Amino acid sequence: MPNLNVHFGQPIGKVLAVSGSQTTVALNPEATGVSAVRIGAVVKVTGERYDVVGTISSIQSEPGDRNLRVVALDLLGELVPAENGGIRFRRGVSLYPVTGATAYCAGEAELGAIYAPPSVPHVRVGALYDDPARPAMVLSDDLLGKHFAVLGASGSGKSCSVALILSRILDAHPNAHMILLDPHNEYAAAFGDLAENVNVDNIHFPLWLLNFEEASEVLISSGTPEEKEAQSLILHNIILRARREFAAKTASSQTLAEHNDGAPSFILKAPKRPEPDLDDDLSMITVDTPVPYATSELLRLIDDALGSAERPDRPGPYLRLKARIEALRADPQFAFMFADLLTVRDTLAQLIGRLLRFPVAGRPITTVDLSAVPSDIADVLVSLLCRLVFDFALWSGQGQMPPVMLVCEEAHRYVPADPTIGFAATARSIGRIAKEGRKYGISLALVTQRPSELSPTAISQCGTVFAMRLPADLDQRFMSAALPEAGRGMLAALPSLATQEAVICGQGVPLPMRIRFDDLPAERRPRSSSGHFSEAWLSDSAGLQFVRDSVRRWRLQRRETVPPRQPTDFPTARVA
């Protein structure tokens, strides 16, 4: 029970010192044990022009005087007159308080003004941790327009939090354009009929979509640096020739308006000579230009080189490259990339439209299930998807493309802190969106359970951070540097946050707050990867037939849909 000697709105002490964005308050002796004086509590300090608002970041005894207790306040904003005669909260401090000014526990009027539903577009994501009756709102435009991150250890409710945030945004904005990269097939059912669920069984990402760096990662087999360099040169030449030959064949019947990695748009005309590489327009096509070609054309060009009068002295690199292409074409796991045989179609516009939801057609979000993508090219596919989003926005024309949000789960895998880990092109693609995406209407959401392994550059671009339970000391130190200064006072709570709780800081909220996310309906929760060991091990239910069926699917590289376990990320009952 709270100590009733001091109530909200009553003075708790005097300002002892002011330094930058922090103020030190000496507590009144009778206020030292009040429950309202705690980490995260909102305090009002009288100012010369406006009252200043801050949150308590630390409480301690003054050295040499155990009876003197002081609190540190992170100053966040001011209470200014509202048009209706009341008060409203404004972020930023125009005039800092002076020593001797009185500090108060914020009363109902002040809290009502601070946490009132904003006049700008907003969505509810939960309730305040210490006041369940007061909703926690996020500002839609500031949240989306300036990127955000959701960080939390495994089991903290991170996936359900992401699903809740996105669902609330979609409820308020039914014509949104979202794409969610889902490495573990958690979100397929989380959005119901609002989602276009994409996986390797129902969509084709043809090889020709890859730029040269991505294609090299897929097609060049292992070997010495000299062998890889030789294969790289061969691959560069045959991809470039295949693209130009396809463009030459189609130029007479259609206009191609593609881009050339920084070059302006161009129009291809029918070539005057049969050699497409001699045509001025065709020369603008580079190895990275997304002009289609058939995989069989690469094999034909390799065979042509091996059978020509100028046969290479060292056929080894040609043969290894050909063997790799043929092996991938024959592997069912790679069918989504090597499905074409002798013909190829230009499906770039249709693919972009489906992924980015143009038109929305009642499904404003695309979930891309990456769980069945072979691990050795998963990073390549993520690089491709992120690059497609950015390049399409870049070439769509200023102000013509509706805003798009890209949600990247397991972000530490693709934008690692260590640049030597993973596929460098993936990190560059996501990093470019983090740095420049806002200019072109692309919002980025980074989701990870290992924030210390995430690129500091990428997370520094996130204007809002949802920090959930982080027990690891390394992650806490990382958060201390990553969080805005005004929110660092709540870092001490991160190891002890319960499931479904978070600290939110940044531009998407009026001020840093500790919240409990709202409950998600059971049918809208992401699939949990946690096993129910105590239940599953009570009976001997899996027999030899189960093993045989699994081995059969393994050999055929064919997954079968099975009912997911009941998710348990968020408890059904509300915990007091």
Side-chain angles (χ1 to χ4, degrees):
M1 293 291 292
N3 187 326
L4 300 180
N5 292 331
V6 177
H7 301 278
F8 281 119
Q10 291 190 352
I12 61 170
K14 300 286 186 180
V15 172
L16 191 64
V18 180
S19 176
S21 62
Q22 278 204 334
T23 293
T24 303
V25 173
L27 294 176
N28 296 333
E30 63 271 19
T32 56
V34 180
S35 61
V37 182
R38 63 187 182 280
I39 300 295
V42 181
V43 173
K44 177 184 73 172
V45 180
T46 55
E48 182 177 341
R49 185 184 305 165
Y50 304 120
D51 289 340
V52 179
V53 172
T55 56
I56 296 178
S57 59
S58 68
I59 306 174
Q60 61 184 10
S61 298
E62 188 70 10
D65 187 352
R66 294 186 177 181
N67 294 322
L68 178 59
R69 297 173 65 85
V70 297
V71 299
L73 303 181
D74 291 328
L75 301 182
L76 305 171
E78 300 172 323
L79 295 169
V80 300
E83 295 179 358
N84 60 4
I87 56 174
R88 64 180 179 86
F89 176 73
R90 181 178 68 188
R91 296 191 69 155
V93 179
S94 59
L95 193 62
Y96 287 91
V98 297
T99 55
T102 304
Y104 299 83
C105 282
E108 182 61 33
E110 290 85 0
L111 292 174
I114 294 169
Y115 295 108
S119 57
V120 296
H122 61 278
V123 295
R124 171 182 169 139
V125 294
L128 298 187
Y129 164 77
D130 53 357
D131 189 358
R134 203 176 296 280
M137 307 288 190
V138 294
L139 312 179
S140 302
D141 288 336
D142 287 329
L143 178 74
L144 300 175
K146 299 171 184 176
H147 306 324
F148 68 92
V150 181
L151 316 172
S154 179
S156 63
K158 174 172 51 62
S159 297
C160 279
S161 301
V162 172
L164 175 71
I165 295 168
L166 300 185
S167 294
R168 293 292 167 82
I169 294 172
L170 293 175
D171 290 342
H173 308 282
N175 290 312
H177 301 270
M178 294 185 185
I179 177 170
L180 189 157
L181 306 183
D182 182 6
H184 306 298
N185 192 23
E186 294 180 278
Y187 296 92
F191 304 102
D193 294 337
L194 295 177
E196 173 78 2
N197 297 315
V198 166
N199 56 49
V200 296
D201 297 323
N202 62 23
I203 198 169
H204 183 208
F205 294 103
L207 180 67
W208 60 262
L209 279 175
L210 305 184
N211 64 19
F212 177 65
E213 185 176 11
E214 294 160 350
S216 298
E217 183 72 11
V218 174
L219 298 179
I220 295 179
S221 56
S222 58
T224 64
E226 293 76 12
E227 292 172 340
K228 289 184 176 181
E229 184 178 357
Q231 292 182 61
S232 177
L233 180 59
I234 297 168
L235 184 64
H236 182 283
N237 292 335
I238 63 175
I239 289 179
L240 177 59
R241 186 173 173 184
R243 292 194 193 278
R244 290 181 174 179
E245 288 185 357
F246 179 89
K249 293 175 183 177
T250 57
S252 59
S253 58
Q254 66 180 12
T255 298
L256 296 179
E258 304 291 347
H259 79 271
N260 175 23
D261 193 23
S265 298
F266 62 90
I267 297 176
L268 293 177
K269 301 177 182 178
K272 298 178 181 179
R273 295 174 296 275
E275 298 83 8
D277 57 315
L278 299 178
D279 187 273
D280 292 339
D281 290 323
L282 292 175
S283 67
M284 296 187 67
I285 296 179
T286 73
V287 71
D288 291 329
T289 308
V291 173
Y293 60 82
T295 308
S296 56
E297 281 297 292
L298 301 185
L299 296 173
R300 182 186 65 80
L301 291 172
I302 292 177
D303 288 337
D304 287 350
L306 290 172
S308 67
E310 299 179 358
R311 181 187 175 106
D313 295 333
R314 295 191 306 162
Y318 289 85
L319 296 175
R320 278 190 289 271
L321 188 58
K322 180 181 179 181
R324 173 67 173 172
I325 296 173
E326 290 177 335
L328 293 176
R329 289 181 65 186
D331 190 337
Q333 293 185 92
F334 293 84
F336 69 95
M337 187 173 288
F338 293 87
D340 66 276
L341 296 175
L342 298 176
T343 61
V344 63
R345 294 188 302 116
D346 185 358
T347 57
L348 182 56
Q350 292 88 338
L351 181 65
I352 291 289
R354 184 178 181 190
L355 290 175
L356 301 186
R357 308 309 306 144
F358 300 132
V360 175
R363 296 188 176 187
I365 182 170
T366 301
T367 63
V368 183
D369 173 17
L370 301 172
S371 61
V373 177
S375 59
D376 53 345
I377 67 164
D379 286 5
V380 174
L381 187 56
V382 172
S383 173
L384 167 65
L385 290 167
C386 296
R387 184 174 53 80
L388 286 179
V389 172
F390 185 88
D391 284 351
F392 180 74
L394 176 66
W395 295 101
S396 292
Q398 189 71 24
Q400 295 184 13
M401 175 175 155
V404 170
M405 185 169 76
L406 174 68
V407 184
C408 185
E409 261 278 11
E410 298 284 346
H412 62 276
R413 291 173 49 179
Y414 310 118
V415 203
D418 185 350
T420 64
I421 297 177
F423 183 39
T426 310
R428 284 200 305 273
S429 295
I430 298 177
R432 191 177 185 189
I433 292 175
K435 296 175 184 177
E436 306 175 40
R438 290 190 294 266
K439 302 175 184 177
Y440 304 101
I442 308 175
S443 174
L444 179 66
L446 299 176
V447 185
T448 181
Q449 61 186 7
R450 301 175 186 172
S452 60
E453 297 180 17
L454 184 64
S455 166
T457 302
I459 199 171
S460 68
Q461 302 295 324
C462 295
T464 306
V465 175
F466 296 80
M468 308 186 74
R469 183 172 65 250
L470 291 170
D473 183 63
L474 187 62
D475 289 334
Q476 294 171 38
R477 291 201 301 270
F478 176 84
M479 291 303 302
S480 178
L483 280 178
E485 185 176 356
R488 294 176 188 171
M490 297 185 179
L491 281 173
L494 293 184
S496 58
L497 291 178
T499 299
Q500 208 171 340
E501 291 180 4
V503 171
I504 314 179
C505 302
Q507 301 176 58
V509 288
L511 76 169
M513 61 179 79
R514 180 176 173 179
I515 73 160
R516 183 186 186 277
F517 284 105
D518 288 336
D519 294 319
L520 270 175
E523 67 275 10
R524 289 299 182 90
R525 298 175 193 167
R527 186 178 64 178
S528 173
S529 59
S530 301
H532 300 272
F533 291 88
S534 58
E535 297 178 10
W537 287 358
L538 290 176
S539 62
D540 186 7
S541 58
L544 185 58
Q545 187 59 43
F546 156 75
V547 178
R548 289 172 177 155
D549 292 342
S550 300
V551 169
R552 176 179 56 83
R553 291 193 296 269
W554 182 4
R555 285 174 173 162
L556 295 175
Q557 299 295 314
R558 184 179 302 163
R559 298 184 305 159
E560 294 180 5
T561 303
V562 295
R565 299 190 190 96
Q566 177 67 25
T568 57
D569 281 17
F570 278 7
T572 302
R574 188 178 179 89
V575 181

